[in-house]
PDB file of all heavy atoms in Angstrom:
ATOM      1  N   LEU E 386      -7.864  -9.086   3.891  1.00  0.00           N
ATOM      2  CA  LEU E 386      -8.419  -8.139   4.858  1.00  0.00           C
ATOM      3  C   LEU E 386      -9.924  -7.949   4.678  1.00  0.00           C
ATOM      4  O   LEU E 386     -10.686  -7.944   5.655  1.00  0.00           O
ATOM      5  CB  LEU E 386      -7.712  -6.792   4.737  1.00  0.00           C
ATOM      6  CG  LEU E 386      -6.248  -6.763   5.181  1.00  0.00           C
ATOM      7  CD1 LEU E 386      -5.622  -5.416   4.842  1.00  0.00           C
ATOM      8  CD2 LEU E 386      -6.111  -7.047   6.677  1.00  0.00           C
ATOM      9  N   LEU E 387     -10.370  -7.798   3.427  1.00  0.00           N
ATOM     10  CA  LEU E 387     -11.782  -7.549   3.179  1.00  0.00           C
ATOM     11  C   LEU E 387     -12.630  -8.763   3.525  1.00  0.00           C
ATOM     12  O   LEU E 387     -13.710  -8.629   4.124  1.00  0.00           O
ATOM     13  CB  LEU E 387     -12.000  -7.141   1.722  1.00  0.00           C
ATOM     14  CG  LEU E 387     -11.331  -5.844   1.269  1.00  0.00           C
ATOM     15  CD1 LEU E 387     -11.672  -5.562  -0.188  1.00  0.00           C
ATOM     16  CD2 LEU E 387     -11.722  -4.669   2.157  1.00  0.00           C
ATOM     17  N   ASN E 388     -12.163  -9.949   3.159  1.00  0.00           N
ATOM     18  CA  ASN E 388     -12.926 -11.147   3.486  1.00  0.00           C
ATOM     19  C   ASN E 388     -12.946 -11.407   4.983  1.00  0.00           C
ATOM     20  O   ASN E 388     -13.964 -11.866   5.521  1.00  0.00           O
ATOM     21  CB  ASN E 388     -12.349 -12.353   2.743  1.00  0.00           C
ATOM     22  CG  ASN E 388     -12.724 -12.358   1.275  1.00  0.00           C
ATOM     23  OD1 ASN E 388     -13.792 -11.890   0.894  1.00  0.00           O
ATOM     24  ND2 ASN E 388     -11.849 -12.876   0.425  1.00  0.00           N
ATOM     25  N   LEU E 389     -11.834 -11.128   5.659  1.00  0.00           N
ATOM     26  CA  LEU E 389     -11.813 -11.293   7.115  1.00  0.00           C
ATOM     27  C   LEU E 389     -12.809 -10.348   7.766  1.00  0.00           C
ATOM     28  O   LEU E 389     -13.582 -10.740   8.652  1.00  0.00           O
ATOM     29  CB  LEU E 389     -10.401 -11.030   7.649  1.00  0.00           C
ATOM     30  CG  LEU E 389     -10.202 -11.226   9.156  1.00  0.00           C
ATOM     31  CD1 LEU E 389     -10.446 -12.684   9.544  1.00  0.00           C
ATOM     32  CD2 LEU E 389      -8.800 -10.785   9.570  1.00  0.00           C
ATOM     33  N   HIS E 390     -12.822  -9.086   7.306  1.00  0.00           N
ATOM     34  CA  HIS E 390     -13.742  -8.113   7.886  1.00  0.00           C
ATOM     35  C   HIS E 390     -15.194  -8.506   7.649  1.00  0.00           C
ATOM     36  O   HIS E 390     -16.042  -8.348   8.544  1.00  0.00           O
ATOM     37  CB  HIS E 390     -13.486  -6.725   7.296  1.00  0.00           C
ATOM     38  CG  HIS E 390     -14.366  -5.658   7.876  1.00  0.00           C
ATOM     39  ND1 HIS E 390     -15.622  -5.370   7.380  1.00  0.00           N
ATOM     40  CD2 HIS E 390     -14.185  -4.819   8.925  1.00  0.00           C
ATOM     41  CE1 HIS E 390     -16.172  -4.417   8.090  1.00  0.00           C
ATOM     42  NE2 HIS E 390     -15.316  -4.051   9.029  1.00  0.00           N
ATOM     43  N   SER E 391     -15.518  -9.003   6.472  1.00  0.00           N
ATOM     44  CA  SER E 391     -16.911  -9.299   6.153  1.00  0.00           C
ATOM     45  C   SER E 391     -17.397 -10.614   6.753  1.00  0.00           C
ATOM     46  O   SER E 391     -18.603 -10.825   6.878  1.00  0.00           O
ATOM     47  CB  SER E 391     -17.107  -9.326   4.634  1.00  0.00           C
ATOM     48  OG  SER E 391     -16.327 -10.348   4.039  1.00  0.00           O
ATOM     49  N   SER E 392     -16.470 -11.485   7.137  1.00  0.00           N
ATOM     50  CA  SER E 392     -16.889 -12.805   7.611  1.00  0.00           C
ATOM     51  C   SER E 392     -16.684 -13.040   9.097  1.00  0.00           C
ATOM     52  O   SER E 392     -17.345 -13.909   9.680  1.00  0.00           O
ATOM     53  CB  SER E 392     -16.121 -13.900   6.845  1.00  0.00           C
ATOM     54  OG  SER E 392     -14.726 -13.820   7.113  1.00  0.00           O
ATOM     55  N   HIS E 393     -15.780 -12.303   9.734  1.00  0.00           N
ATOM     56  CA  HIS E 393     -15.457 -12.590  11.132  1.00  0.00           C
ATOM     57  C   HIS E 393     -16.347 -11.771  12.070  1.00  0.00           C
ATOM     58  O   HIS E 393     -16.389 -10.539  11.977  1.00  0.00           O
ATOM     59  CB  HIS E 393     -13.989 -12.280  11.426  1.00  0.00           C
ATOM     60  CG  HIS E 393     -13.464 -13.023  12.612  1.00  0.00           C
ATOM     61  ND1 HIS E 393     -13.868 -12.765  13.892  1.00  0.00           N
ATOM     62  CD2 HIS E 393     -12.574 -14.055  12.696  1.00  0.00           C
ATOM     63  CE1 HIS E 393     -13.240 -13.570  14.728  1.00  0.00           C
ATOM     64  NE2 HIS E 393     -12.459 -14.371  14.018  1.00  0.00           N
ATOM     65  N   PRO E 394     -17.066 -12.431  12.977  1.00  0.00           N
ATOM     66  CA  PRO E 394     -17.987 -11.691  13.865  1.00  0.00           C
ATOM     67  C   PRO E 394     -17.298 -10.670  14.762  1.00  0.00           C
ATOM     68  O   PRO E 394     -17.923  -9.679  15.151  1.00  0.00           O
ATOM     69  CB  PRO E 394     -18.655 -12.807  14.686  1.00  0.00           C
ATOM     70  CG  PRO E 394     -17.749 -13.979  14.576  1.00  0.00           C
ATOM     71  CD  PRO E 394     -17.104 -13.890  13.229  1.00  0.00           C
ATOM     72  N   ALA E 395     -16.025 -10.876  15.080  1.00  0.00           N
ATOM     73  CA  ALA E 395     -15.319  -9.944  15.954  1.00  0.00           C
ATOM     74  C   ALA E 395     -14.938  -8.647  15.256  1.00  0.00           C
ATOM     75  O   ALA E 395     -14.505  -7.689  15.909  1.00  0.00           O
ATOM     76  CB  ALA E 395     -14.069 -10.600  16.535  1.00  0.00           C
ATOM     77  N   LEU E 396     -15.092  -8.592  13.931  1.00  0.00           N
ATOM     78  CA  LEU E 396     -14.751  -7.377  13.186  1.00  0.00           C
ATOM     79  C   LEU E 396     -15.983  -6.600  12.739  1.00  0.00           C
ATOM     80  O   LEU E 396     -15.873  -5.642  11.977  1.00  0.00           O
ATOM     81  CB  LEU E 396     -13.881  -7.722  11.974  1.00  0.00           C
ATOM     82  CG  LEU E 396     -12.501  -8.292  12.289  1.00  0.00           C
ATOM     83  CD1 LEU E 396     -11.686  -8.472  11.012  1.00  0.00           C
ATOM     84  CD2 LEU E 396     -11.738  -7.419  13.280  1.00  0.00           C
ATOM     85  N   ARG E 397     -17.153  -6.992  13.224  1.00  0.00           N
ATOM     86  CA  ARG E 397     -18.363  -6.252  12.873  1.00  0.00           C
ATOM     87  C   ARG E 397     -18.287  -4.827  13.413  1.00  0.00           C
ATOM     88  O   ARG E 397     -17.870  -4.589  14.547  1.00  0.00           O
ATOM     89  CB  ARG E 397     -19.595  -6.953  13.437  1.00  0.00           C
ATOM     90  CG  ARG E 397     -19.956  -8.222  12.693  1.00  0.00           C
ATOM     91  CD  ARG E 397     -21.045  -8.991  13.416  1.00  0.00           C
ATOM     92  NE  ARG E 397     -22.272  -8.221  13.566  1.00  0.00           N
ATOM     93  CZ  ARG E 397     -23.211  -8.098  12.632  1.00  0.00           C
ATOM     94  NH1 ARG E 397     -23.044  -8.711  11.458  1.00  0.00           N
ATOM     95  NH2 ARG E 397     -24.297  -7.404  12.844  1.00  0.00           N
ATOM     96  N   ALA E 398     -18.695  -3.874  12.593  1.00  0.00           N
ATOM     97  CA  ALA E 398     -18.664  -2.463  12.985  1.00  0.00           C
ATOM     98  C   ALA E 398     -19.910  -2.102  13.780  1.00  0.00           C
ATOM     99  O   ALA E 398     -21.005  -2.602  13.494  1.00  0.00           O
ATOM    100  CB  ALA E 398     -18.576  -1.584  11.747  1.00  0.00           C
ATOM    101  N   GLY E 399     -19.748  -1.250  14.776  1.00  0.00           N
ATOM    102  CA  GLY E 399     -20.889  -0.742  15.527  1.00  0.00           C
ATOM    103  C   GLY E 399     -21.684  -1.803  16.252  1.00  0.00           C
ATOM    104  O   GLY E 399     -22.871  -1.618  16.519  1.00  0.00           O
ATOM    105  N   ASP E 400     -21.059  -2.916  16.584  1.00  0.00           N
ATOM    106  CA  ASP E 400     -21.721  -4.014  17.285  1.00  0.00           C
ATOM    107  C   ASP E 400     -21.392  -3.895  18.774  1.00  0.00           C
ATOM    108  O   ASP E 400     -20.235  -4.042  19.183  1.00  0.00           O
ATOM    109  CB  ASP E 400     -21.231  -5.351  16.733  1.00  0.00           C
ATOM    110  CG  ASP E 400     -21.958  -6.556  17.314  1.00  0.00           C
ATOM    111  OD1 ASP E 400     -22.509  -6.436  18.426  1.00  0.00           O
ATOM    112  OD2 ASP E 400     -21.976  -7.612  16.657  1.00  0.00           O
ATOM    113  N   SER E 401     -22.399  -3.630  19.594  1.00  0.00           N
ATOM    114  CA  SER E 401     -22.168  -3.399  21.018  1.00  0.00           C
ATOM    115  C   SER E 401     -21.678  -4.645  21.742  1.00  0.00           C
ATOM    116  O   SER E 401     -21.180  -4.553  22.866  1.00  0.00           O
ATOM    117  CB  SER E 401     -23.452  -2.887  21.683  1.00  0.00           C
ATOM    118  OG  SER E 401     -24.486  -3.850  21.563  1.00  0.00           O
ATOM    119  N   THR E 402     -21.783  -5.811  21.122  1.00  0.00           N
ATOM    120  CA  THR E 402     -21.311  -7.047  21.748  1.00  0.00           C
ATOM    121  C   THR E 402     -19.859  -7.357  21.383  1.00  0.00           C
ATOM    122  O   THR E 402     -19.302  -8.354  21.850  1.00  0.00           O
ATOM    123  CB  THR E 402     -22.191  -8.245  21.357  1.00  0.00           C
ATOM    124  OG1 THR E 402     -22.041  -8.514  19.958  1.00  0.00           O
ATOM    125  CG2 THR E 402     -23.653  -7.966  21.662  1.00  0.00           C
ATOM    126  N   VAL E 403     -19.251  -6.533  20.539  1.00  0.00           N
ATOM    127  CA  VAL E 403     -17.845  -6.696  20.180  1.00  0.00           C
ATOM    128  C   VAL E 403     -17.006  -5.760  21.036  1.00  0.00           C
ATOM    129  O   VAL E 403     -17.318  -4.576  21.174  1.00  0.00           O
ATOM    130  CB  VAL E 403     -17.604  -6.398  18.688  1.00  0.00           C
ATOM    131  CG1 VAL E 403     -16.109  -6.424  18.363  1.00  0.00           C
ATOM    132  CG2 VAL E 403     -18.346  -7.410  17.822  1.00  0.00           C
ATOM    133  N   GLN E 404     -15.934  -6.280  21.611  1.00  0.00           N
ATOM    134  CA  GLN E 404     -15.014  -5.472  22.406  1.00  0.00           C
ATOM    135  C   GLN E 404     -13.727  -5.225  21.624  1.00  0.00           C
ATOM    136  O   GLN E 404     -13.213  -6.125  20.954  1.00  0.00           O
ATOM    137  CB  GLN E 404     -14.670  -6.189  23.718  1.00  0.00           C
ATOM    138  CG  GLN E 404     -15.866  -6.394  24.640  1.00  0.00           C
ATOM    139  CD  GLN E 404     -15.508  -7.248  25.835  1.00  0.00           C
ATOM    140  OE1 GLN E 404     -14.833  -8.268  25.694  1.00  0.00           O
ATOM    141  NE2 GLN E 404     -15.958  -6.851  27.003  1.00  0.00           N
ATOM    142  N   THR E 405     -13.224  -4.013  21.710  1.00  0.00           N
ATOM    143  CA  THR E 405     -11.952  -3.648  21.093  1.00  0.00           C
ATOM    144  C   THR E 405     -10.996  -3.268  22.205  1.00  0.00           C
ATOM    145  O   THR E 405     -11.248  -2.314  22.947  1.00  0.00           O
ATOM    146  CB  THR E 405     -12.121  -2.477  20.109  1.00  0.00           C
ATOM    147  OG1 THR E 405     -13.103  -2.833  19.129  1.00  0.00           O
ATOM    148  CG2 THR E 405     -10.808  -2.155  19.419  1.00  0.00           C
ATOM    149  N   ILE E 406      -9.904  -4.015  22.341  1.00  0.00           N
ATOM    150  CA  ILE E 406      -8.995  -3.864  23.480  1.00  0.00           C
ATOM    151  C   ILE E 406      -7.600  -3.505  22.988  1.00  0.00           C
ATOM    152  O   ILE E 406      -6.995  -4.264  22.222  1.00  0.00           O
ATOM    153  CB  ILE E 406      -8.915  -5.175  24.292  1.00  0.00           C
ATOM    154  CG1 ILE E 406     -10.307  -5.691  24.648  1.00  0.00           C
ATOM    155  CG2 ILE E 406      -8.069  -4.980  25.536  1.00  0.00           C
ATOM    156  CD1 ILE E 406     -10.316  -7.121  25.135  1.00  0.00           C
ATOM    157  N   ARG E 407      -7.104  -2.355  23.396  1.00  0.00           N
ATOM    158  CA  ARG E 407      -5.702  -2.022  23.119  1.00  0.00           C
ATOM    159  C   ARG E 407      -4.837  -2.808  24.087  1.00  0.00           C
ATOM    160  O   ARG E 407      -5.097  -2.840  25.286  1.00  0.00           O
ATOM    161  CB  ARG E 407      -5.466  -0.530  23.260  1.00  0.00           C
ATOM    162  CG  ARG E 407      -5.898   0.239  22.045  1.00  0.00           C
ATOM    163  CD  ARG E 407      -4.915   0.114  20.869  1.00  0.00           C
ATOM    164  NE  ARG E 407      -3.816   1.061  21.029  1.00  0.00           N
ATOM    165  CZ  ARG E 407      -2.558   0.720  21.216  1.00  0.00           C
ATOM    166  NH1 ARG E 407      -2.203  -0.550  21.266  1.00  0.00           N
ATOM    167  NH2 ARG E 407      -1.626   1.641  21.357  1.00  0.00           N
ATOM    168  N   LEU E 408      -3.802  -3.474  23.574  1.00  0.00           N
ATOM    169  CA  LEU E 408      -2.974  -4.380  24.361  1.00  0.00           C
ATOM    170  C   LEU E 408      -1.662  -3.724  24.778  1.00  0.00           C
ATOM    171  O   LEU E 408      -1.022  -3.037  23.986  1.00  0.00           O
ATOM    172  CB  LEU E 408      -2.673  -5.641  23.546  1.00  0.00           C
ATOM    173  CG  LEU E 408      -3.887  -6.481  23.114  1.00  0.00           C
ATOM    174  CD1 LEU E 408      -3.436  -7.628  22.214  1.00  0.00           C
ATOM    175  CD2 LEU E 408      -4.651  -7.000  24.329  1.00  0.00           C
ATOM    176  N   ARG E 409      -1.284  -3.970  26.028  1.00  0.00           N
ATOM    177  CA  ARG E 409      -0.004  -3.467  26.534  1.00  0.00           C
ATOM    178  C   ARG E 409       1.154  -4.267  25.927  1.00  0.00           C
ATOM    179  O   ARG E 409       1.065  -5.493  25.762  1.00  0.00           O
ATOM    180  CB  ARG E 409       0.060  -3.585  28.051  1.00  0.00           C
ATOM    181  CG  ARG E 409      -0.922  -2.701  28.805  1.00  0.00           C
ATOM    182  CD  ARG E 409      -0.713  -2.827  30.304  1.00  0.00           C
ATOM    183  NE  ARG E 409      -0.938  -4.208  30.753  1.00  0.00           N
ATOM    184  CZ  ARG E 409      -2.117  -4.680  31.131  1.00  0.00           C
ATOM    185  NH1 ARG E 409      -3.180  -3.904  31.108  1.00  0.00           N
ATOM    186  NH2 ARG E 409      -2.224  -5.928  31.543  1.00  0.00           N
ATOM    187  N   THR E 410       2.237  -3.572  25.595  1.00  0.00           N
ATOM    188  CA  THR E 410       3.452  -4.225  25.090  1.00  0.00           C
ATOM    189  C   THR E 410       4.660  -3.612  25.786  1.00  0.00           C
ATOM    190  O   THR E 410       4.554  -2.587  26.479  1.00  0.00           O
ATOM    191  CB  THR E 410       3.613  -4.057  23.568  1.00  0.00           C
ATOM    192  OG1 THR E 410       4.088  -2.730  23.296  1.00  0.00           O
ATOM    193  CG2 THR E 410       2.300  -4.298  22.839  1.00  0.00           C
ATOM    194  N   THR E 411       5.815  -4.219  25.562  1.00  0.00           N
ATOM    195  CA  THR E 411       7.054  -3.656  26.112  1.00  0.00           C
ATOM    196  C   THR E 411       7.659  -2.604  25.187  1.00  0.00           C
ATOM    197  O   THR E 411       8.731  -2.069  25.484  1.00  0.00           O
ATOM    198  CB  THR E 411       8.083  -4.786  26.340  1.00  0.00           C
ATOM    199  OG1 THR E 411       8.270  -5.520  25.117  1.00  0.00           O
ATOM    200  CG2 THR E 411       7.598  -5.735  27.430  1.00  0.00           C
ATOM    201  N   GLU E 412       6.987  -2.304  24.086  1.00  0.00           N
ATOM    202  CA  GLU E 412       7.444  -1.252  23.156  1.00  0.00           C
ATOM    203  C   GLU E 412       6.257  -0.369  22.782  1.00  0.00           C
ATOM    204  O   GLU E 412       5.850  -0.282  21.625  1.00  0.00           O
ATOM    205  CB  GLU E 412       8.070  -1.868  21.898  1.00  0.00           C
ATOM    206  CG  GLU E 412       9.411  -2.511  22.112  1.00  0.00           C
ATOM    207  CD  GLU E 412      10.542  -1.490  22.284  1.00  0.00           C
ATOM    208  OE1 GLU E 412      10.271  -0.278  22.220  1.00  0.00           O
ATOM    209  OE2 GLU E 412      11.692  -1.925  22.483  1.00  0.00           O
ATOM    210  N   GLU E 413       5.727   0.326  23.758  1.00  0.00           N
ATOM    211  CA  GLU E 413       4.477   1.058  23.542  1.00  0.00           C
ATOM    212  C   GLU E 413       4.631   2.259  22.627  1.00  0.00           C
ATOM    213  O   GLU E 413       3.638   2.752  22.088  1.00  0.00           O
ATOM    214  CB  GLU E 413       3.881   1.487  24.885  1.00  0.00           C
ATOM    215  CG  GLU E 413       3.399   0.296  25.697  1.00  0.00           C
ATOM    216  CD  GLU E 413       2.745   0.694  27.010  1.00  0.00           C
ATOM    217  OE1 GLU E 413       2.747   1.913  27.328  1.00  0.00           O
ATOM    218  OE2 GLU E 413       2.237  -0.192  27.712  1.00  0.00           O
TER     219      GLU E 413
END
Side-chain angles (χ1 to χ4, degrees):
L386 291 173
L387 297 181
N388 284 328
L389 183 63
H390 182 273
S391 62
S392 64
H393 203 291
L396 295 185
R397 287 171 60 83
D400 185 337
S401 61
T402 67
V403 174
Q404 296 173 316
T405 304
I406 309 166
R407 279 284 277 115
L408 299 175
R409 294 184 299 271
T410 77
T411 54
E412 288 285 359
E413 292 183 355

